[in-house]
Amino acid sequence: MASLILGLETSCDETAASVVRDGVYILSNAVSTQHDLHERYGGVVPELASRAHLERLLPVVRAAVDEAGVTLDELDAIAVGNRPGLIGSLIVGASAAKALAWSLGKPLLGIDHVHAHLYAATLCEPSAISDQPSVADCQSEIAYPALGLVVSGGHTSLYAMAGPLNMELIGRTIDDAVGEAYDKAAVILGAGYPGGQNVDQLAQRGTPEPQRFPRSMLGKDSLDFSFSGLKTSLLYAVRGQPVGRGKNTSFERDHHDLTDAERADLAASFQHAVAQTLVTKIKRAIKQLEAKGHPPRAIVVGGGVSANSLLRQRLRSLGESAELAVHLPGMAVCVDNAAMIAGLAHARLLAGQTDNLSLPVIATTAMA
Ligand code: KG4
Ligand code: ZN
């Protein structure tokens, strides 16, 4: 089915709008990041985030529509990430989407942000469509059932996917999300904010020591994740043993006392521990799904950490050895964006699912 969908995304600290054609072609992908605004606080401040969305959303929507070369009347639907996320930020996006849908007389679709991350690998990036390739050149058709892995700043989750709209949560983090662990690692290593990308680059200059850090596998059959032990091990490796307790805790040193080569080696060992943990859990999940008689035919990955250089490499090798197609998002749609929202909305529209103006915003969808 042909469709032209405008997606909006305001769940955290990116204000984004995108026009996607037929659920595949990204005609525009406008993202205004608020990193500069939150950097001095070392994390996202919810009230600042929602105010910034309010200021930035309309210019971002205008940019997305202009870049796509379409008029608002030509759109078939308006989609918005309405869950999970910061409640004030979600309200800004949902209110704008409702106003647009109502005033234009178009269907409204509320999209789960985490599920949308698993749609990102289906999308064609702008660079790939500049020569207007045929669908066959561009479309990344996913064979279902598939195993989905979302690795973002807020989630580390495994899904048994029967389709893009039909997935069951089979594993999740019991403490830090993997992106969160990366962001904290960046603070510990003095790599700057936002952390993931900086730690990744630092790690690429270092040499990993294979067993330097623990890999938390939890129970023998567990598909859940835990990254807080790894983070604490890195903290002690950088700062030495803690002295004192609670507020009075102090450390022997900090990252300023390490050489660049030492920081890079620690980053590399951290990065190896993360990638190995994720790959081990994926292998475990594949075995369990096979044992249940639903062997996955593909692995689908999404979320900011799917931009990680080592993880991408490891997942590709896993795909080759397990003879499974591995679908990784293009670099422009790993981190938060609205193209994935518009893309998944196409699948919902195809399935005849739309929402109305009473669409709620939902901060937490822990069990989804
Ligand atoms: O998906 P996303 O944009 O936001 C959430 O939905 O949470 O993910 C952001 C996370 C951040 O924690 C960021 O540090 C991490 O993705 N990230 C990376 C890389 N690029 C972004 N982590 C590791 N390696 C990267 N190259
Ligand atoms: Zn996200």
Side-chain angles (χ1 to χ4, degrees):
M1 185 185 85
S3 76
L4 201 57
I5 300 182
L6 171 67
L8 308 184
E9 158 59 36
T10 62
S11 68
C12 190
D13 60 346
E14 258 89 31
T15 313
S18 164
V19 178
V20 171
R21 178 155 51 89
D22 305 340
V24 177
Y25 302 105
I26 304 172
L27 302 189
S28 60
N29 184 22
V31 183
S32 168
T33 177
Q34 303 176 9
H35 288 164
D36 49 338
L37 200 63
H38 304 285
E39 184 171 6
R40 57 199 289 221
Y41 304 103
V44 179
V45 182
E47 184 58 20
L48 291 180
S50 39
R51 279 167 191 257
H53 285 307
L54 205 53
E55 286 165 11
R56 298 176 188 200
L57 187 54
L58 289 184
V60 167
V61 168
R62 204 164 287 132
V65 171
D66 286 352
E67 195 192 324
V70 301
T71 63
L72 290 174
D73 281 336
E74 287 175 285
L75 297 171
D76 293 304
I78 310 293
V80 62
N82 73 321
R83 64 193 189 279
L86 301 170
I87 201 81
S89 294
L90 289 169
I91 287 172
V92 176
S95 307
K98 286 178 187 180
L100 279 167
W102 176 78
S103 60
L104 297 167
K106 311 279 181 188
L108 172 72
L109 295 114
I111 300 295
D112 184 306
H113 176 96
V114 184
H115 296 183
H117 270 305
L118 289 175
Y119 194 89
T122 310
L123 297 165
C124 263
E125 285 189 65
S127 58
I129 58 168
S130 56
D131 298 319
Q132 299 196 327
S134 65
V135 171
D137 291 330
C138 199
Q139 202 163 15
S140 170
E141 193 83 47
I142 296 171
Y144 292 100
L147 175 66
L149 172 71
V150 176
V151 276
S152 72
H155 293 81
T156 307
S157 303
L158 281 167
Y159 293 90
M161 301 177 74
L165 296 170
N166 186 352
M167 59 189 88
E168 183 196 347
L169 183 71
I170 55 172
R172 63 188 172 126
T173 182
I174 60 165
D175 42 53
D176 290 353
V178 66
E180 193 181 350
Y182 259 99
D183 293 334
K184 289 174 180 166
V187 174
I188 296 168
L189 289 163
Y193 175 89
Q197 206 179 344
N198 294 353
V199 173
D200 188 3
Q201 279 164 7
L202 187 62
Q204 289 177 54
R205 300 201 296 273
T207 311
E209 202 184 308
Q211 297 309 322
R212 182 74 177 76
F213 295 124
R215 284 105 166 106
S216 177
M217 294 301 158
L218 303 173
K220 176 164 79 52
D221 299 321
S222 173
L223 297 181
D224 289 337
F225 302 90
S226 165
F227 292 104
S228 71
L230 171 61
K231 177 192 67 189
T232 308
S233 297
L234 176 69
L235 179 77
Y236 291 174
V238 172
R239 296 191 185 167
Q241 286 305 309
V243 182
R245 283 175 150 250
K247 273 190 194 162
N248 300 320
T249 309
S250 61
F251 288 90
E252 295 167 9
R253 55 177 186 267
D254 72 10
H255 62 83
H256 293 105
D257 300 309
L258 302 185
T259 62
D260 278 351
E262 284 169 335
R263 288 167 61 242
D265 288 350
L266 288 171
S269 297
F270 173 87
Q271 176 132 300
H272 268 73
V274 169
Q276 200 190 353
T277 305
L278 293 170
V279 166
T280 303
K281 291 287 174 164
I282 289 179
K283 286 183 181 165
R284 223 179 242 189
I286 293 171
K287 276 209 180 116
Q288 291 185 18
L289 291 171
E290 278 171 357
K292 283 185 184 159
H294 306 293
R297 297 170 63 205
I299 300 171
V300 187
V301 189
V305 186
S306 59
N308 186 263
S309 58
L310 183 69
L311 183 61
R312 291 177 86 87
Q313 200 182 307
R314 287 291 162 87
L315 289 169
R316 287 201 180 102
S317 332
L318 171 68
E320 278 165 28
S321 56
E323 295 184 0
L324 283 176
V326 175
H327 298 269
L328 294 165
M331 293 303 271
V333 287
C334 288
V335 289
D336 286 350
N337 66 86
M340 65 184 194
I341 302 289
L344 187 55
H346 170 83
R348 286 200 64 204
L349 207 55
L350 213 62
Q353 302 172 5
T354 56
D355 296 301
N356 59 37
L357 295 179
S358 60
L359 177 76
V361 291
I362 304 166
T364 322
T365 50
M367 300 314 289

